[in-house]
Amino acid sequence: MTNQGIGQSVRRKEDFRFITGQGHYTDDINRPGQLYAYFHRSPHAFAKIKSINTDAARKMPGVVAVYTGKDVAVDKVGGLICGWTVKDKKGEPHKAPRHDIIAIDHVRHVGDQVAVVIARSLGEARDAAEAIEVDYDVLTPVVDVVTALQPGAPEVHADAPGNLCYDWDFGDKAATEAAFAKAAHVTKIDLVNNRLSPNPMEPRSAIGEYEPGTDQTTVYTTSQNPHVIRLILCAFVFGLPEHKVRVIAPDVGGGFGSKIFNYAEETVCVWAARKLKKPVKWTSDRTEAFLTDAHGRDHVTHAELAMDKDGKFLGFRVETKANMGAYLSTFASAVPTYLYALLLAGQYTTPAIYAEVKAVFTNTTPVDAYRGAGRPEATYVVERIVEAAARELKIDPAELRRRNFVPDDAFPYQTPVACVYDSGQYAKALDEALKMSDYAGFKQRKAEAAKKGKLRGIGLCAYIEACGIAPSAVVGSLGAGVGLWESAQIRFNATGSVFVHTGSHSHGQGHETTFAQIVSDRLGVPLESIEVVHGDTALVPMGMGTYGSRSLAVGGSAIMRAADKIIDKGKKIAAHLMEASVDDVAYDKGVFSVKGTDKQVPMAQIAFTAYVPHNYPADLEPGLEASAFYDPANFTFPAGVHVAEVEIDSDTGVTRVVNWVAVDDFGKVVNPMIVEGQVHGGIAQGVGQALLEGVVYDPKSGQLLTASFNDYCMPRADDLPSYKVGMIETPCPHNPLGVKGCGEAGAIAAPAALMNAITDALGTEKINMPATPQNVWRVIQSQNLAAAAE
Amino acid sequence: MYAFNYHRPKSLADAGKLLGDASDGKFIAGGQTLLPTLKNRFASPSDLVDLTGITELSGISVSGGTVSIGAITKHGVVATSADVKKAIPALAHLAGLIGDPAVRNMGTMGGSVANNDPAADYPSAVLGLNATVHTTKRKIAADSFFTGLFETALEESEIITKIEFPVPKRAGYEKFRNPASRYAMVGVFVAETADGVRVAVTGAGPCVFRHKEMEAALAKSFSPDALKGIKTDPGKMNNDIHGSGEYRAHLVGVVAKRAVQNALG
Ligand SMILES: Cc1cc2nc3c(=O)[nH]c(=O)nc-3n(C[C@H](O)[C@H](O)[C@H](O)COP(=O)(O)OP(=O)(O)OC[C@H]3O[C@@H](n4cnc5c(N)ncnc54)[C@H](O)[C@@H]3O)c2cc1C
C-alpha cells in the first residue's frame, strides 16, 4: 500500500475510461423525449433590435417552439448575475447592467443570443433558426479599453456611463508616492496582456429537464462547480427552492475557468424544459465556443518601479485598464482586482504598492477567470518590469531578484497589499533553476547561436500566486457573494471499500486518483477500493467546486478532516474489540493497536463491525461515515522560478523555445506525476499566450476575426520544448496536508519568462504578446532601420 | 450541413452524367475542403458525386521522364511513394508538409489542385514543375490552369483525371507555415526544368504565381545568393492578421532562398 499513498506517482485511475473513449460527457447523455435548442445569434457587435419575425421559423418542420427575450421576460426570469461586488474608489458598487438570457432590446457582442428554436432534431432547430428574421439598427461598436474610455465613445450600456464598470484602487497611495520621491532610479513599462479564448477540448453543453410529478428540475451541464450553478439558478435566476433542483456535471473535458460561470444557454435550456415539460439539450459548436465562452486577460497596463541606487525596490505603482466585455460575467469583477492587485508584491519585499484598475465595458465577449485569473496578469507586470529594471541598471536579473526576495526567515510575511505569505524558499528555487538551466553557460550558447545567425535570449520569471481559494470571511469582506470552503464525506461499506464524496469537481485534474491517494494513505484502504464521487448535487454535500488551484488545499483538507473523524470513531470500535481503553488505542496507516501490546485490528474489520454491530460499544451509533467542511485559514502561496531560453530566426521572426526549466514550490506533493502534468499543461498555455494565441476583433465592425482554429493559434506539441521540471517542498503551515496547489502555476509563470527571453534576444522591451513571427520581425525591422539611420 | 444526395460512381462517364443530371451537384474527393464548408453551411449542393470509387483516377507511374499521378491519390501516398521520392523528391517532401496525418490520409491531389486555395501547397509544385493537368475533356498546361483566387480553368463538369509532372534537373520546396492553420503563409517551389528555371510562389498572393525576376536571376546562377536584393511587391500580397503584405513580400525572398538551398541539397 505504501506505493499508493501520498508522494507516489500513481497512474491516474480515471484515464482508462478517458483513453478508451468511455468517458461520459454531457453531450453523451440523451433523455427520453429530448428536444434540441439552437440559438439565433447576433451578426452585429452592437445594434438595437427593431423587430424579430419568427413566423416562418415556427412553421418549419420539427419546430416545437421559438422564443425571444420578450417570452423570457413574461416569465420574470432574472438576468445572469455577477457574484462578486467590487466597490470603487468612492465606495460605490460596480455597475452590473442587466444581462438577459436572451437579448431584448440591444445586442452587445457578435454572438449575443437573440432567439432560440426548440425542435425535435438539431438539424431542424438550426434550419428554423436561419429562418428567423431580425431587423437591426446597427450601432458603432467599441472593442478595446482605450477607445472605450475616450470621451464620446459609444456606450455599451446606458446605465454604465463612459463604459466604466468601476474605477478601483488598492494599496497605500501616499506611501508609494513618497517612495518614488526618494528613488534613485525609476523603471517604467507599458504592457498589453492579450485576450485569450479558453478552448477546452469539450465544448459547453447542457440539458434541462423537468418532471411535473415531483416538481423536480434536473440540469446536466459542463460545469466546474455544480452547486454554485444550482445556487445561482435557484436563488437569483428562477427563484426555485434548491431541494427541487439537481445539477449534474458528469465528465467534463477541461474548463480552464470557462466552465465556472453560469451561462445564458444552460439557463435557457432549464427555462424551456420547465415550460415545455420536455428535456431540452444544447451543445456548443466550436464557433459558438469562440463567440460565447468567457474569454481571459485583456489588460492594458502602465507600471513604474522605484528603486534605490542598489536596485532595492522602494515602491511600485500600476495602472490597469481591464476589458470586461459586453456584460459582467459570474466572477469577472474579482479577477482584475482582488486576484490581481493583491499579488503585485510578487516574491519581493517592495514596501509600498499602489494599483488603480479601471474595468471597462466593450462590445466583445465577456471576460472572466481563465487559468490563473488575475495572477498571470500580475506576474506578467511584476516580472517584466523587474527584468527591464535589471537591464537598465545593468544588474544581472537573477541578482536583482535575489536582492529583493522575501527572505526565508521572514515568513509568515505580510505584504503591503493585504496578503500574508505562508511559507517559501525563494532564493533556493532560483538557485536550483539557474543550475538546471546552466544560466552561467548562456553567454557561450548565445555566441554559438550568433554564429548560426540566430538571436538567443534567456528570461526568468519568479512568480507567486494565491491559491487554496479562500478564507470565507476574507473574501466576504472583499465583496464575494459566497463562502469558499469545501466539503467532503467518507463512507465506508461493510466490506471495507470506500466512497469519497467531494464538493470539488474534476475535469482533467486527476482528483479521482489524488483524493483516493490521500484516503488510502490516511485510512489504509487500497486505492482500487476507493471511489471518488463528485459532480452531482444529489450525491455530494454542498460544495464550492474547482478553480483557483483550490481542490487539494481546500477539498483535500476537508477529506483529511473527514478521515480524522473516521479514525476517531474507529478508535472507539477498536477499543471495544480489543477490550482496551480508547486512550490506549493507537492508529497508524489503517491499523488500530493497543499501545505497548501486540494487539491490533485493521480498518476493514472496524468497518465490518460498524455495519454488523453484534459485538459493539453500547453508546455508539452503528455505521462508518463522516462528513467534514473545511474553511481555509489563509490562501496558500505557491511560488517558483521558470527559465525560458529562445532562439530567434532574424530573417523570418520565428521564435523557437529551446530550453525550459521550471522549479516550483507547491508545498507537499501528493502525486508528483500528476503535478508535473499540470505544470506541463500550464506552461503550454503560457507559451500559447506569449507566442501564438490572441483573440482579435475588427476595431471597426467588432467582428471576431479569430473565430476558428484556422485563425486562433493554439499551441501544438512541436511549438513546445521538452521541459525540465524541478520541485522544492516548503509545506503550507496552515492546512493538514501541507499542500499549496499547482494547477495554474505554469500558465502564470510562462508568459513573463518567455517574453523576458524574447526581449533579451531582441534587446528591446517594446514587443507585446503574442510574439508571432510577424510581430518579432517588425521589431527586428525597426531596429535594422534604426541601426541603418545611425 | 444541409441534406444532399450522395453518389459513388465507378466510372468517369457515370460521374459526368450524375453531375449533369443534378440540379446543383458537386464532385467530392477527400472532402477535406468540401466537408468543412458543408458543415459550416457555407454551401448547399443538391448532390455530391464521390470520385474516390473510380479506379482509373488512382495510381502513380513514372516513365520517360514524367511522373504521372492520378487525381484521387492521397497526399500521404505521394509523400511516401518510393517512385516520387526518387524522381522528384521535392514533390514528396511538399506532400508530407500538407496538414496533419488525418488530412494527408484523406485529401487528394486532384481536390487540392481543383480547389486552388491561395494557401495550398500543391499548386506551387504544379506551376513550378510546369506540369500538365489532364481532365476528362483536355490537357491544360500549368501556366493556364490557375486563373485566380479559388479559380481554375476547369469547367463545370470537368474532372481532373491525372497530373503529369516532368522530372526536373533539380527542385526544392520551402514552406513557411501560417502559425494557426499551418497552410502556407508563403511557399516557394523552385525547379530547374528542361524549359529553364521556374519559381512558383503560393500563400503570398491571391493565387499561386511565377516570380519572373527570381527565375531570371536563378537562370544566371542557381544559388541562394543570386536572389539577393530581389524585391516582391507588397501591394500584390495577401494581407491578414497573420501577415501583412510587407511581411509576406519579405518572406517570399527568404523562403525562395531556402527553397533554392533545398534544391541544391
Ligand atoms: C486541418 C486541415 C489542414 C490542411 N492543411 C493543408 C495544408 O497545409 N496545405 C494544403 O495544401 N492543404 C491543406 N488542407 C487542404 C487539403 O489538402 C485538402 O485535401 C485539399 O485542399 C482538397 O482535397 P480533397 O481531396 O479533400 O478535396 P474535396 O474537399 O473533396 O474537394 C475540394 C474541391 O475540389 C473539387 N474536386 C475534387 N476532386 C476533383 C477532381 N478530381 N476534379 C475536379 N474537381 C475536383 C471538389 O468538387 C471541391 O470543389 C488542409 C485541410 C484541413 C482540413
Side-chain angles (χ1 to χ4, degrees):
Chain A
M1 217 171 298
T2 47
N3 59 357
Q4 299 187 325
I6 292 173
Q8 301 300 319
S9 288
V10 177
R11 289 230 189 143
R12 304 201 329 167
K13 284 162 65 101
E14 48 269 72
D15 282 348
F16 175 75
R17 72 173 190 276
F18 293 147
I19 289 169
T20 56
Q22 298 178 85
H24 209 54
Y25 299 89
T26 302
D27 192 52
D28 295 327
I29 297 168
N30 292 298
R31 304 295 301 159
Q34 172 178 292
L35 304 173
Y36 294 81
Y38 195 88
F39 287 87
H40 180 103
R41 297 183 180 280
S42 170
H44 305 295
F46 197 19
K48 191 171 159 36
I49 301 173
K50 291 204 314 214
S51 65
I52 305 176
N53 186 343
T54 60
D55 293 349
R58 279 174 211 281
K59 291 186 198 118
M60 306 262 298
V63 173
V64 175
V66 182
Y67 297 121
T68 67
K70 288 196 175 130
D71 299 309
V72 178
V74 169
D75 282 3
K76 303 213 171 5
V77 175
L80 301 177
I81 60 148
C82 177
W84 193 307
T85 304
V86 167
K87 294 206 170 130
D88 70 8
K89 282 176 179 167
K90 294 184 218 129
E92 298 288 324
H94 65 209
K95 300 279 191 311
R98 191 173 161 92
H99 185 186
D100 289 299
I101 60 174
I102 301 180
I104 295 179
D105 46 8
H106 283 85
V107 288
R108 293 186 172 85
H109 66 90
V110 174
D112 215 348
Q113 49 285 345
V114 177
V116 64
V117 178
I118 317 285
R120 279 198 289 271
S121 73
L122 180 59
E124 288 167 321
R126 190 170 177 180
D127 288 344
E130 286 176 6
I132 294 172
E133 287 166 29
V134 187
D135 191 9
Y136 293 104
D137 199 352
V138 179
L139 304 170
T140 305
V142 60
V143 299
D144 71 284
V145 285
V146 175
T147 313
L149 285 174
Q150 273 163 12
E155 283 182 350
V156 181
H157 294 278
D159 46 354
N163 295 315
L164 200 59
C165 175
Y166 52 75
D167 180 4
W168 176 89
D169 67 351
F170 201 76
D172 190 333
K173 187 175 185 182
T176 307
E177 274 170 11
F180 275 83
K182 65 175 188 212
H185 184 84
V186 174
T187 294
K188 300 178 182 179
I189 200 161
D190 286 290
L191 298 169
V192 174
N193 204 294
N194 45 330
R195 178 187 278 242
L196 303 176
S197 172
N199 297 331
M201 203 181 288
E202 179 208 21
R204 287 189 294 120
S205 178
I207 305 170
E209 185 169 359
Y210 180 65
E211 285 173 47
T214 53
D215 190 29
Q216 179 78 30
T217 301
T218 304
V219 190
Y220 300 86
T221 186
T222 46
S223 175
Q224 302 178 207
N225 30 240
H227 281 97
V228 175
I229 297 302
R230 188 183 67 174
L231 182 67
I232 294 174
L233 290 179
C234 288
F236 297 95
V237 182
F238 293 116
L240 291 171
E242 279 181 274
H243 70 291
K244 288 293 182 192
V245 176
R246 175 179 182 187
V247 177
I248 301 170
D251 283 332
V252 173
F256 311 116
S258 70
K259 291 173 183 166
I260 298 172
F261 322 121
N262 172 216
Y263 286 93
E265 294 87 354
E266 65 195 357
T267 312
V268 168
C269 286
V270 174
W271 173 73
R274 288 175 57 83
K275 221 175 162 59
L276 298 168
K277 303 190 174 35
K278 285 266 174 68
V280 175
K281 180 185 210 171
W282 170 79
T283 299
S284 170
D285 64 29
R286 194 50 79 177
T287 307
E288 285 182 295
F290 277 108
L291 288 171
T292 64
D293 288 2
H295 291 166
R297 320 281 192 254
D298 204 345
H299 284 194
V300 175
T301 295
H302 174 78
E304 302 186 354
L305 179 64
M307 288 159 283
D308 73 8
K309 63 177 189 352
D310 302 318
K312 193 93 180 134
F313 304 160
L314 303 175
F316 186 35
R317 62 186 171 211
V318 175
E319 203 193 302
T320 291
K321 298 175 185 79
N323 199 335
M324 295 285 101
Y327 306 99
L328 211 47
S329 175
T330 315
F331 288 110
S333 57
V335 177
T337 49
Y338 296 107
L339 293 174
Y340 172 67
L342 274 67
L343 278 302
L344 288 172
Q347 298 189 2
Y348 311 111
T349 55
T350 318
I353 297 175
Y354 179 65
E356 285 179 291
V357 178
K358 285 193 175 84
V360 184
F361 291 111
T362 60
N363 294 109
T364 61
T365 300
V367 179
D368 206 325
Y370 169 69
R371 201 170 191 171
R375 292 152 294 165
E377 294 91 317
T379 297
Y380 190 63
V381 177
V382 174
E383 290 302 294
R384 282 289 306 269
I385 203 166
V386 167
E387 195 93 4
R391 289 169 190 164
E392 283 178 9
L393 295 172
K394 300 201 165 36
I395 300 174
D396 180 86
E399 169 57 21
L400 184 68
R401 286 180 170 88
R402 201 187 306 275
R403 278 184 207 174
N404 289 283
F405 276 155
V406 173
D408 292 359
D409 59 7
F411 295 95
Y413 179 78
Q414 172 71 59
T415 74
V417 275
C419 290
V420 180
Y421 293 169
D422 52 355
S423 66
Q425 301 176 72
Y426 302 156
K428 186 175 171 191
L430 178 65
D431 291 342
E432 186 68 20
L434 296 181
K435 202 160 61 193
M436 283 171 65
S437 61
D438 185 23
Y439 190 72
F442 173 73
K443 274 213 177 84
Q444 199 187 332
R445 295 197 293 280
K446 189 176 173 77
E448 272 158 26
K451 278 187 220 150
K452 296 180 292 173
K454 296 276 163 70
L455 305 170
R456 195 160 174 128
I458 195 163
L460 301 180
C461 174
Y463 73 95
I464 190 148
E465 48 173 333
C467 298
I469 292 174
S472 297
V474 174
V475 295
S477 73
L478 302 178
V482 291
L484 289 173
W485 42 265
E486 196 47 87
S487 66
Q489 213 171 46
I490 296 177
R491 292 183 177 176
F492 269 85
N493 297 306
T495 51
S497 65
V498 175
F499 287 114
V500 179
H501 296 237
T502 170
S504 291
H505 187 275
S506 188
H507 36 278
Q509 296 88 346
H511 294 171
E512 289 170 39
T513 306
T514 304
F515 289 2
Q517 282 179 263
I518 300 172
V519 172
S520 174
D521 194 275
R522 195 71 187 115
L523 298 181
V525 180
L527 215 56
E528 57 274 17
S529 300
I530 301 170
E531 191 71 22
V532 174
V533 181
H534 64 90
D536 183 343
T537 62
L539 292 180
V540 300
M542 174 80 181
M544 295 311 296
T546 293
Y547 37 83
S549 304
R550 69 189 301 271
S551 294
L552 190 57
V554 189
S557 294
I559 292 172
M560 286 294 277
R561 283 257 175 99
D564 286 346
K565 292 183 184 177
I566 294 282
I567 293 166
D568 285 347
K569 184 165 183 181
K571 279 185 179 170
K572 291 180 190 155
I573 301 170
H576 180 84
L577 291 178
M578 297 187 287
E579 294 170 340
S581 133
V582 173
D583 294 339
D584 290 336
V585 174
Y587 172 80
D588 187 40
K589 295 207 183 303
V591 179
F592 296 88
S593 59
V594 180
K595 290 170 197 161
T597 73
D598 59 1
K599 283 191 196 173
Q600 54 178 47
V601 189
M603 185 61 90
Q605 193 182 337
I606 298 292
F608 184 79
T609 307
Y611 289 101
V612 188
H614 297 166
N615 173 17
Y616 203 70
D619 51 352
L620 201 63
E621 290 174 12
L624 192 59
E625 67 170 63
S627 289
F629 287 77
Y630 180 81
D631 200 340
N634 188 4
F635 292 82
T636 60
F637 293 90
V641 173
H642 286 218
V643 186
E645 208 167 317
V646 299
E647 264 188 20
I648 294 173
D649 175 347
S650 49
D651 287 334
T652 59
V654 170
T655 301
R656 266 198 356 104
V657 184
V658 291
N659 203 356
W660 200 285
V661 168
V663 177
D664 298 294
D665 184 350
F666 300 132
K668 281 267 180 223
V669 170
V670 174
N671 185 319
M673 180 194 70
I674 290 179
V675 167
E676 203 171 310
Q678 289 287 314
V679 172
H680 285 199
I683 297 171
Q685 272 172 312
V687 170
Q689 167 161 33
L691 279 189
L692 310 162
E693 298 183 49
V695 171
V696 182
Y697 285 96
D698 182 75
K700 279 216 185 74
S701 66
Q703 291 296 325
L704 179 60
L705 301 180
T706 49
S708 83
F709 290 125
N710 253 343
D711 289 306
Y712 188 90
C713 185
M714 287 294 279
R716 291 161 166 96
D718 64 357
D719 290 315
L720 302 163
S722 218
Y723 317 112
K724 298 187 193 102
V725 177
M727 268 173 220
I728 291 185
E729 267 193 29
T730 321
C732 169
H734 63 74
N735 66 45
L737 284 161
V739 299
K740 294 181 175 173
C742 68
E744 296 159 299
I748 292 172
L754 191 47
M755 291 309 288
N756 284 338
I758 290 171
T759 52
D760 180 46
L762 294 175
T764 173
E765 302 295 332
K766 290 202 173 53
I767 179 162
N768 280 321
M769 300 187 288
T772 59
Q774 168 166 256
N775 288 349
V776 171
W777 175 77
R778 278 186 178 147
V779 171
I780 295 170
Q781 279 305 101
S782 61
Q783 284 172 326
N784 288 349
L785 288 179
E790 268 166 24
Chain B
M1 217 176 264
Y2 298 103
F4 53 80
N5 300 311
Y6 174 77
H7 314 274
R8 196 160 191 268
K10 292 233 158 11
S11 73
L12 282 170
D14 286 353
K17 183 164 181 333
L18 283 163
L19 197 86
D21 291 349
S23 64
D24 182 18
K26 224 161 173 21
F27 296 123
I28 183 164
Q32 294 304 290
T33 294
L34 194 50
L35 284 179
T37 311
L38 297 181
K39 282 188 176 171
N40 282 311
R41 297 190 157 197
F42 296 149
S44 51
S46 62
D47 294 72
L48 286 187
V49 180
D50 189 339
L51 301 176
T52 58
I54 304 171
T55 39
E56 63 187 286
L57 295 181
S58 73
I60 297 175
S61 63
V62 184
S63 73
T66 302
V67 177
S68 173
I69 301 180
I72 61 169
T73 309
K74 310 217 149 115
H75 311 332
V77 172
V78 175
T80 54
S81 153
D83 287 340
V84 178
K85 278 186 181 168
K86 191 158 163 248
I88 317 178
L91 182 59
H93 171 68
L94 173 148
L97 296 174
I98 298 174
D100 50 43
V103 170
R104 291 197 289 276
N105 287 330
M106 289 298 290
T108 68
M109 180 178 279
S112 175
V113 171
N115 193 50
N116 193 22
D117 188 308
D121 294 290
Y122 270 139
S124 70
V126 171
L127 192 60
L129 289 166
N130 198 14
T132 305
V133 180
H134 291 240
T135 77
T136 37
K137 294 194 172 143
R138 55 197 162 135
K139 296 178 192 172
I140 310 172
D143 281 323
S144 41
F145 185 82
F146 303 103
T147 53
L149 182 74
F150 290 106
E151 276 179 14
T152 67
L154 287 176
E155 287 162 17
E156 211 24 46
S157 62
E158 196 171 3
I159 300 172
I160 298 178
T161 53
K162 65 178 178 183
I163 299 177
E164 282 187 354
F165 296 91
V167 175
K169 255 185 248 157
R170 54 191 165 192
Y173 182 65
E174 177 77 13
K175 175 177 186 176
F176 187 90
R177 290 186 164 102
N178 174 313
S181 72
R182 300 222 165 166
Y183 275 72
M185 186 131 98
V186 171
V188 179
F189 200 102
V190 293
E192 235 185 318
T193 71
D195 328 314
V197 175
R198 293 172 70 102
V199 177
V201 181
T202 189
C207 180
V208 62
F209 66 91
R210 284 175 64 187
H211 205 303
K212 297 280 169 68
E213 232 181 307
M214 287 186 176
E215 290 181 355
L218 290 172
K220 280 191 206 130
S221 152
F222 195 83
S223 70
D225 280 349
L227 298 177
K228 247 193 189 148
I230 296 183
K231 294 261 184 302
T232 306
D233 182 359
K236 292 193 174 139
M237 300 289 101
N238 296 332
N239 185 355
D240 57 32
I241 58 171
H242 306 286
S244 64
E246 285 76 27
Y247 184 50
R248 280 191 162 88
H250 164 79
L251 283 179
V252 170
V254 176
V255 173
K257 280 182 204 152
R258 292 181 184 178
V260 173
Q261 194 59 57
N262 292 347
L264 294 170

